[in-house]
Amino acid sequence: MDRAQKEKVVEELGQIFESSGVVVVAHYAGLTVAEMQDLRARARDAEASVRVAKNRLAKIALEGKPCESIGQYLSGMTVLTYSEDPVSAAKVAEGFAKDNSKFEILGGAMGSDALDRAGVKAVSDMPSREELLAQIAGMLGAPASNIAGAIGAPASNIASILSTIEEKAEAA
């Protein structure tokens, strides 16, 4: 890799570190190509990304960034999982780590907050942005459906009473 390519990689990594809601660092030694493809597919499905980069270039890209604290995890064969959503990348990494013992999560960062292994686990247990929006929409919609049910209930009760009276009148 020549100097221009290295500068481009550092710039790309810098943008990743700056714009991501969460970055998870893990060791991936011993993973097969198929397993890495599985990780990338899971990340893609969750609107997250996976990036393998040279640790030296990643450390250069981290300088002055909010998540500079993850530099301590950049040694050995590391892979970065990141996403704009503060939860997606952590969920992907945790799910993949459960299925694959060779994938070892070291830590990460959520904005300027450093995350250790337990911190990444805690973030992955949080609901994602989509799940929160669905919960809020459900909460907002519930009162309206209750009101509609309450308004419609007397009319249906009256209709059933009239039907019962009509049946009794026909029987008599």
Side-chain angles (χ1 to χ4, degrees):
M1 196 183 288
D2 67 357
R3 184 175 179 85
Q5 289 174 318
K6 289 178 183 178
E7 287 174 359
K8 184 179 178 188
V9 169
V10 168
E11 184 180 322
E12 289 172 2
L13 289 171
Q15 288 178 351
I16 288 169
F17 294 137
E18 214 166 280
S19 65
S20 296
V22 68
V23 178
V24 178
V25 182
H27 278 158
Y28 70 100
L31 288 180
T32 64
V33 172
E35 290 166 335
M36 279 300 284
Q37 287 175 338
D38 180 38
L39 173 61
R40 289 178 195 279
R42 289 183 190 198
R44 196 176 322 108
D45 291 343
E47 296 183 15
S49 300
V50 175
R51 177 79 188 250
V52 176
K54 290 186 178 282
N55 293 329
R56 190 171 43 83
L57 297 178
K59 286 178 182 178
I60 293 169
L62 276 170
E63 291 175 11
K65 302 293 185 283
C67 58
E68 193 169 0
S69 59
I70 66 171
Q72 64 184 333
Y73 301 122
L74 296 174
S75 65
M77 293 179 66
T78 55
V79 62
L80 305 172
T81 309
Y82 58 94
S83 64
E84 285 184 31
D85 179 359
V87 180
S88 295
K91 283 186 182 287
V92 168
E94 279 294 332
F96 190 75
K98 283 180 186 175
D99 298 339
N100 214 312
S101 61
K102 298 172 195 163
F103 187 79
E104 179 190 350
I105 298 174
L106 303 174
M110 186 176 199
S112 60
D113 298 326
L115 302 172
D116 60 359
R117 176 68 182 92
V120 172
K121 173 77 173 127
V123 168
S124 74
D125 291 337
M126 295 170 55
S128 69
R129 185 180 327 169
E130 288 75 22
E131 291 168 339
L132 285 174
L133 290 174
Q135 288 174 357
I136 291 170
M139 288 178 197
L140 292 175
S145 65
N146 290 343
I147 290 171
I151 290 171
S156 66
N157 289 342
I158 291 171
S160 66
I161 291 170
L162 290 175
S163 173
T164 304
I165 292 171
E166 186 179 323
E167 288 174 7
K168 286 183 181 180
E170 288 176 2

